[in-house]
Amino acid sequence: MAENENRIEHEYGGSQIEVLEGLEPVRKRPGMYIGSTGPKGLHHLVYEIVDNSIDEALAGYCNHIEVTIKKGDIIEVTDNGRGIPVGIQPKMGIPAVTVVFTVLHAGGKFGGENSGYKVSGGLHGVGASVVNALSEWLTVRVRTDGSEYEQTFHRGKEDGPLKKIGPAQTTGTTVTFKPDPEMFEELVFNYDTLLVRLREEAFLNAGVRITLTDERGEEPVVQSMCYEGGIRSFVDHIHRRRQLEVLHPEVIYIKGQQGDMVAEVALQYNNSYNELILSFANNVNTPDGGTHEEGFKTALTRVFNDFGREKGYLKDKDENLSGSDVREGLTAVISVKLTEAQFEGQTKAKLGNTEVRSLVSSIVYEKLKEYFEENPGVAKAVFEKATQAARAREAAKKARELVRRKSALETSRMPGKLADCREKDPSKTEIYIVEGDSAGGSAKMGRDSNIQAILPLWGKMLNVEKARLDKVYGNEKMMPVVTALGCGIGEDFDLSKLRYHKVFIMADADVDGSHICTLMLTFFFRFMRPLIEGGHVYIAQPPLFKLAKGQQVKYAYNEAEMSKMSAEMGQGVKVSRYKGLGEMNPEQLWETTMNPENRVIVQISIEDAERADETFTILMGDKVEPRREFIEQNAKYANLDI
Ligand code: TSJ
């Protein structure tokens, strides 16, 4: 971009003052740059800053990054790198560090057409100016060449020039910022959300120490993460966290390079029937996969079939193992780093570079085959697993056909506990899947029976991690869900048969409730993935608190909101905490959780579902329904829209 584009000349009584107006577009359309102004966007600010320190680590100059959530939800990121250069940048005539924070760099990650976004290797400072524009204030301190420098900003505009503030014994960069309340709907950072993402960064960048500190409470909470094993440790962590038994003791690790492109794969089999492949390009997660995943999958299937025939695991009469057979019980992390990563698809969640496919595929084929040759015990264990999977696939096919024949006779009867709605057009209807009969009862009484159906769940939960498809067909808890939704499971899944376009999971706002949501999401993720991909799955959010003062009743959905509301309502407000949905009467449940006019719901993305068990904070997805206050404030406009 032409560097003068960002400079607009204003005349003030003869003297010309140059004003940088480059960051206006960010404040006008924040969503274009950070995805949203909800909780996801807010947390994204931290990642944008941290990514710069990660770049410095990748360049080999930094091995410790500290992230602190300070009181007032102020974020501070410090690294021990070289420090952002403070010398005058020749093109702009101002210090390079000032350029980093005031000039909008090419292509927002979530932007329009040409947002091919580069991470490591060269394009430095991407995102820092965006964070600056969206911060009420931001301070950068740089320690370099024995001195410390500082510059401060408000809403993207510098308060003054870069200043030398004293000597420095070390080198590094510190950025402190407060997200702008004018820009974000919520300003409270979630420790677990940051922890999960930063841990991921630590796994993806072996040897880099990342420390997260939360100073908001009485005592600081600190977690410091550094993994010498890199993505090997990542796979190990996933298995421990899910308490899965592994089929072979060692994580298999493969690394290869071509030009400036580096690919790494870590994999290990467990005794579940689940497949989990996490892929990354330049440390950015690619939930929709892409060429790196394709290369991996092709090579894996080919290794199993070629090696299996060579060693006689597969007889001449046997059919080839399928991709899903060889991925049953597999956990793999794929990480590629390259200079010009192309992210494709609507959400830029898929890697497009074709050269990556052949690199990953060739290194995985070669090295995995070699590994199997050298470790025949491991090869035997994983082949047994894959052949069992092939047999189970046959069994599932038979079970499915049986169910099909049966349902053809029974003309697809709906489950007895389903309270259906009157409307038959699926695009207008919703179903609430509710754990427990008592909450189900309130929901049935409180609902809008024109468009809302209720399905209470009861009985023992299927082990969604460990069950194969054929087990689902006979499961008394999950089959009603399958029947009510009407679109089948697994290979049979047909989204066009979906009977309700909005599918809500409604559970208590406590740990057990989160667990149920997690299990349901895992079920949908494994057996009805297009349902999530199509954006049909939501989590209903019941309030946590009720605030009453005389006739006035308000509901709060988190602690921060409760404190704020209670302060606003003043003396004499009575705050009670809801322990579960069962404590609410039908009217309250309708008013707070089910009424489309003022409920708070969270739409689930594939990424949320894939990682549902990483953290119980699955409610991080962006809230999509306006709250009542919002509608009231904007009533005029809301009505015009209809
Ligand atoms: F960009 C930023 F402001 F967001 C930011 C950058 C925030 C934080 C916390 C750290 C950093 C950062 C930048 N850490 N380290 C660096 N390094 C450089 O900018 C740097 C230093 C020296 C040289 C060189 O060629 O000598 C080059 C670069 C890019």
Side-chain angles (χ1 to χ4, degrees):
M1 103 174 97
E3 56 268 22
N4 287 336
E5 238 170 53
N6 296 299
R7 302 190 149 220
I8 296 171
E9 293 190 339
H10 291 258
E11 284 196 68
Y12 291 103
S15 76
Q16 285 197 338
I17 301 169
E18 264 194 326
V19 182
L20 283 169
E21 289 202 349
L23 298 180
E24 275 311 305
V26 183
R27 292 184 62 85
K28 281 217 181 79
R29 308 189 66 186
M32 287 277 286
Y33 298 88
I34 52 160
S36 81
T37 53
K40 271 194 180 166
L42 180 75
H43 289 75
H44 197 88
L45 298 180
V46 182
Y47 314 144
E48 285 289 350
I49 296 298
V50 170
D51 278 350
N52 290 280
S53 297
I54 294 278
D55 278 0
E56 185 73 356
L58 287 176
Y61 298 101
C62 147
N63 61 8
H64 194 187
I65 303 167
E66 291 171 85
V67 179
T68 307
I69 316 170
K70 299 165 89 78
K71 283 203 162 55
D73 285 276
I74 290 158
I75 296 288
E76 185 159 282
V77 182
T78 291
D79 72 31
N80 64 349
R82 290 167 293 179
I84 308 176
V86 293
I88 300 296
Q89 210 235 26
K91 281 188 196 161
M92 308 277 300
I94 54 175
V97 56
T98 309
V99 176
V100 164
F101 283 95
T102 54
V103 177
L104 190 52
H105 290 70
K109 208 181 293 186
F110 299 89
E113 314 83 70
N114 48 14
S115 39
Y117 170 87
K118 291 186 263 184
V119 179
S120 62
L123 232 193
H124 183 82
V126 166
S129 61
V130 170
V131 176
N132 195 19
L134 300 176
S135 293
E136 185 184 315
W137 58 260
L138 180 147
T139 300
V140 56
R141 271 172 283 145
V142 175
R143 296 167 295 284
T144 183
D145 297 330
S147 296
E148 183 162 35
Y149 299 81
E150 182 184 83
Q151 190 165 26
T152 63
F153 306 84
H154 276 83
R155 301 201 160 96
K157 301 220 159 77
E158 58 258 58
D159 299 333
L162 182 72
K163 277 197 211 109
K164 197 184 273 199
I165 57 169
Q169 269 77 53
T170 57
T171 65
T173 305
T174 299
V175 171
T176 316
F177 65 95
K178 181 177 187 293
D180 191 350
E182 289 176 9
M183 290 286 124
F184 293 94
E185 292 149 32
E186 239 180 86
L187 298 158
V188 181
F189 285 97
N190 183 312
Y191 181 79
D192 286 336
T193 302
L194 292 178
L195 183 68
V196 168
R197 173 64 188 144
L198 294 176
R199 186 191 289 132
E200 194 170 284
E201 291 274 18
F203 284 131
L204 291 167
N205 300 284
V208 178
R209 175 165 298 281
I210 303 183
T211 305
L212 176 64
T213 306
D214 189 347
E215 292 181 348
R216 293 170 298 181
E218 308 247 303
E219 296 273 312
V221 179
V222 187
Q223 190 118 347
S224 191
M225 300 160 290
C226 178
Y227 303 100
E228 294 300 338
I231 60 171
R232 272 164 287 205
S233 312
F234 201 162
V235 169
D236 187 54
H237 167 83
I238 292 167
H239 281 151
R240 283 170 198 275
R241 160 108 213 172
R242 297 190 186 195
Q243 299 182 332
L244 290 169
E245 204 177 298
V246 294
L247 292 191
H248 49 102
E250 187 186 52
V251 178
I252 303 169
Y253 177 73
I254 294 161
K255 183 172 182 174
Q257 189 162 0
Q258 190 185 63
D260 56 7
M261 184 167 51
V262 184
E264 283 179 284
V265 180
L267 66 133
Q268 191 174 30
Y269 284 87
N270 59 64
N271 72 347
S272 81
Y273 307 114
N274 228 335
E275 156 188 344
L276 179 66
I277 300 177
L278 290 179
S279 62
F280 300 84
N282 291 345
N283 297 335
V284 177
N285 185 212
T286 39
D288 296 346
T291 49
H292 48 351
E293 270 191 35
E294 289 158 18
F296 171 71
K297 288 181 181 175
T298 315
L300 187 74
T301 311
R302 213 149 49 85
V303 170
F304 269 79
N305 283 305
D306 290 1
F307 187 86
R309 300 253 173 231
E310 264 171 46
K311 300 289 168 198
Y313 291 123
L314 285 174
K315 304 279 180 279
D316 288 344
K317 63 174 172 46
D318 294 337
E319 273 187 44
N320 265 358
L321 296 165
S322 75
S324 66
D325 295 340
V326 306
R327 294 194 301 271
E328 193 181 278
L330 172 73
T331 301
V333 174
I334 307 168
S335 168
V336 297
K337 293 185 179 129
L338 65 169
T339 37
E340 297 258 351
Q342 294 297 323
F343 294 101
E344 295 179 340
Q346 283 229 312
T347 49
K348 304 272 173 237
K350 191 173 176 186
L351 184 68
N353 305 59
T354 53
E355 67 276 18
V356 173
R357 189 189 290 114
S358 53
L359 172 64
V360 175
S361 149
S362 67
I363 63 167
V364 170
Y365 184 81
E366 241 168 72
K367 299 203 178 157
L368 190 57
K369 208 150 170 251
E370 199 179 296
Y371 188 90
F372 284 162
E373 296 280 1
E374 287 167 8
N375 299 274
V378 177
K380 186 160 180 283
V382 298
F383 267 88
E384 234 159 59
K385 171 97 176 154
T387 26
Q388 266 176 25
R391 262 182 256 131
R393 180 160 50 93
E394 283 304 312
K397 206 163 138 193
K398 292 208 179 88
R400 191 163 74 226
E401 276 156 11
L402 204 73
V403 169
R404 265 196 203 141
R405 250 176 283 140
K406 240 171 83 185
S407 63
L409 291 175
E410 285 183 354
T411 59
S412 60
R413 268 203 11 228
M414 282 299 131
K417 296 232 174 189
L418 174 74
D420 215 342
C421 53
R422 279 187 285 279
E423 174 64 55
K424 293 293 167 227
D425 176 356
S427 71
K428 299 195 176 100
T429 64
E430 327 183 317
I431 185 169
Y432 279 76
I433 299 170
V434 190
E435 173 78 19
D437 276 345
S438 69
S442 283
K444 277 182 193 175
M445 285 191 277
R447 70 183 170 141
D448 172 356
S449 58
N450 277 319
I451 58 155
Q452 293 177 326
I454 310 293
L455 179 67
L457 288 188
W458 72 104
K460 194 174 170 304
M461 187 72 195
L462 176 76
N463 186 337
V464 284
E465 284 273 16
K466 298 209 172 158
R468 283 191 177 121
L469 201 58
D470 53 327
K471 286 282 185 299
V472 178
Y473 284 111
N475 184 267
E476 63 159 2
K477 183 153 188 159
M478 299 321 283
M479 265 326 266
V481 175
V482 177
T483 314
L485 297 187
C487 35
I489 49 175
E491 285 170 37
D492 281 340
F493 188 87
D494 181 355
L495 191 60
S496 71
K497 295 213 175 90
L498 182 62
R499 297 180 63 246
Y500 315 90
H501 280 193
K502 283 190 171 139
V503 178
F504 289 92
I505 306 166
M506 185 158 75
D508 291 341
D510 61 9
V511 177
D512 287 345
S514 286
H515 190 53
I516 286 155
C517 289
T518 303
L519 294 173
M520 284 301 302
L521 289 183
T522 307
F523 178 79
F524 289 146
F525 181 76
R526 287 199 60 201
F527 302 113
M528 301 186 176
R529 200 166 300 186
L531 191 68
I532 302 174
E533 285 164 348
H536 296 288
V537 181
Y538 299 83
I539 298 201
Q541 272 207 303
L544 276 179
F545 301 96
K546 177 181 175 180
L547 296 88
K549 186 181 172 181
Q551 295 294 341
Q552 197 185 14
V553 177
K554 287 195 172 196
Y555 302 95
Y557 293 82
N558 56 46
E559 303 250 354
E561 198 176 37
M562 183 271 285
S563 322
K564 198 168 148 236
M565 268 184 193
S566 123
E568 279 166 10
M569 288 168 81
Q571 290 265 306
V573 55
K574 198 172 140 264
V575 180
S576 44
R577 194 187 176 103
Y578 282 116
K579 292 204 188 62
L581 293 169
E583 283 187 6
M584 269 182 254
N585 62 38
E587 293 75 37
Q588 286 172 332
L589 191 60
W590 162 256
E591 213 35 58
T592 61
T593 315
M594 297 176 71
N595 181 354
E597 298 272 299
N598 51 351
R599 67 187 173 195
V600 180
I601 62 177
V602 172
Q603 190 174 32
I604 297 302
S605 70
I606 268 291
E607 207 181 339
D608 296 327
E610 186 164 38
R611 305 196 189 187
D613 68 336
E614 258 298 302
T615 161
F616 281 134
T617 58
I618 40 180
L619 304 180
M620 269 303 299
D622 280 302
K623 298 184 173 60
V624 292
E625 294 288 306
R627 296 191 188 166
R628 180 205 279 281
E629 307 94 77
F630 180 83
I631 293 184
E632 279 176 356
Q633 280 166 16
N634 299 276
K636 276 178 281 189
Y637 310 104
N639 288 337
L640 286 176
D641 276 350
I642 301 169

